[in-house]
Amino acid sequence: MTEEHVIQNQIQLALADTCQLFRMNVGAAYTLNGNYFKTGVPKGFSDLFGFRKSDGRAVFIEVKTAKGRASDDQKRFISQMKKKGAIAGICRSPEEALRLVKE
């Protein structure tokens, strides 16, 4: 398990009483006949997403390690979600995630 996955799990546990969060799995592969396909969501979609239980407000959390950097697509996605009224941000720890969703 990568360090980022460990942080994702810690955030999900820390926010379990506050938010319903989901992790989106994405990937790419070749079919048996050689066709390439990609699964998942658009570029930049956050690692964790869901809603705040108290009011149903959408939540998007991009999880990064201490040294991790968000891509331009991830920054753009977070900005767009905020403009639409969602809670969205980059978090490197459960404590940062708790602060984000309590805004």
Side-chain angles (χ1 to χ4, degrees):
M1 186 177 304
T2 67
E3 182 181 357
E4 189 172 295
H5 285 127
V6 170
I7 298 168
Q8 284 179 16
N9 291 342
Q10 291 171 341
I11 289 173
Q12 285 184 284
L13 286 172
L15 298 184
D17 291 337
T18 309
C19 297
Q20 179 66 57
L21 294 175
F22 306 95
R23 183 173 167 259
M24 179 58 70
N25 293 315
V26 298
Y30 287 95
T31 63
L32 292 175
N33 64 359
N35 292 326
Y36 181 76
F37 74 98
K38 293 171 78 173
T39 64
V41 292
K43 279 185 160 190
F45 196 93
S46 296
D47 296 311
L48 299 173
F49 68 100
F51 60 91
R52 190 165 58 186
K53 292 178 180 179
S54 63
D55 59 4
R57 193 167 167 200
V59 175
F60 296 90
I61 300 174
E62 182 59 42
V63 179
K64 293 293 178 195
T65 62
K67 295 180 181 180
R69 296 177 59 185
S71 70
D72 289 341
D73 288 327
Q74 291 166 334
K75 291 175 190 175
R76 195 169 17 262
F77 181 83
I78 289 168
S79 176
Q80 290 172 348
M81 293 304 101
K82 285 180 174 181
K83 287 177 184 174
K84 297 296 182 182
I87 299 165
I90 299 167
C91 296
R92 299 173 191 282
S93 69
E95 295 78 20
E96 284 187 8
L98 284 166
R99 282 193 297 274
L100 177 70
V101 300
K102 289 183 178 183
E103 68 175 29

